[in-house]
Amino acid sequence: MSGVRVRRAGVGDAAVVAGLLHDFNTEFETDSPGPIVLASRLRSLLAGADTFALLGGEPAAGLALVTLRPNVWYPGPVALLDEMYVAPSARGAGIGGAIIRRLIEDCRTAGVSAIEINVDEADVDAQRFYERHGFSGTDPDTGERAYYYAQELD
C-alpha cells in the first residue's frame, strides 16, 4: 500500500477542492465558473450525504469528487466518480492510485453497489489507469463497448 495520505474532505475543505477542480478545468482548457463559485457550491454539496470528496497528498495535490444515487438495478447506491485530478507536479507519486483504492474501500464500506466513471475517448492514459484498478469500459455481460451520452439543459 502506498504511503500517500488520502482523507475525506469536509465542508471546511471546499476551497481546496474547488481550487483543484478549477486547476483541472484550466489545465484541460475547459470552462470553469471559478474557484469562488465552486467553493460555494461545494460547501452545500459536501454538507449533504450524496456528495463526497477525497483529497490525496499533504498538502492536497489530488482529488476525487463523487456523487451517490439510488439505482433500481442494485441493492445499494451507485457512485459516479465525477472528477479525478492530480496536479501535474505531483503525478507519478502514487496519489491517483491511493485515491482510487480509498474510493473503492470507502464505497464497499458504505454498501455502494457500483462505481461509474466517464472517460473521454481520447484520454487513453485515464482509460489505462482505471483498467489497472479493475474498471472496465465494456459491458460485463455482452463485452460491448460502453458509451456515455449527455444533454445539458439550460
Side-chain angles (χ1 to χ4, degrees), residues 7-147:
R7 65 181 178 85
R8 189 73 83 110
V11 174
D13 295 305
V16 173
V17 175
L20 287 166
L21 289 172
H22 178 74
D23 291 349
F24 177 44
N25 280 21
T26 301
E27 180 180 341
F28 293 98
E29 300 176 358
T30 303
D31 289 338
S32 169
I36 293 171
V37 171
L38 290 170
S40 175
R41 292 176 185 169
L42 284 161
R43 278 189 286 281
S44 173
L45 291 169
L46 293 173
D50 297 331
T51 302
F52 69 92
L54 298 173
L55 294 171
E58 195 59 47
L63 92 135
L65 181 65
V66 183
T67 52
L68 302 171
R69 64 176 166 75
N71 185 299
V72 69
W73 302 114
Y74 295 103
V78 171
L80 175 62
L81 178 56
D82 290 308
E83 302 294 351
M84 182 156 173
Y85 177 68
V86 176
S89 63
R91 291 181 188 151
I95 292 173
I99 289 172
I100 206 79
R101 286 188 297 275
R102 172 72 185 264
L103 170 64
I104 293 167
E105 177 184 313
D106 283 7
C107 285
R108 277 195 177 117
T109 300
V112 170
S113 293
I115 301 171
E116 297 177 341
I117 307 168
N118 299 311
V119 180
D120 294 336
E121 182 178 11
D123 196 349
V124 294
D125 290 337
Q127 292 170 33
R128 281 193 294 260
F129 172 81
Y130 293 124
E131 288 170 3
R132 263 194 328 271
H133 292 280
F135 293 88
S136 175
T138 58
D139 182 295
D141 296 325
T142 65
E144 292 179 350
R145 189 86 182 126
Y147 290 95

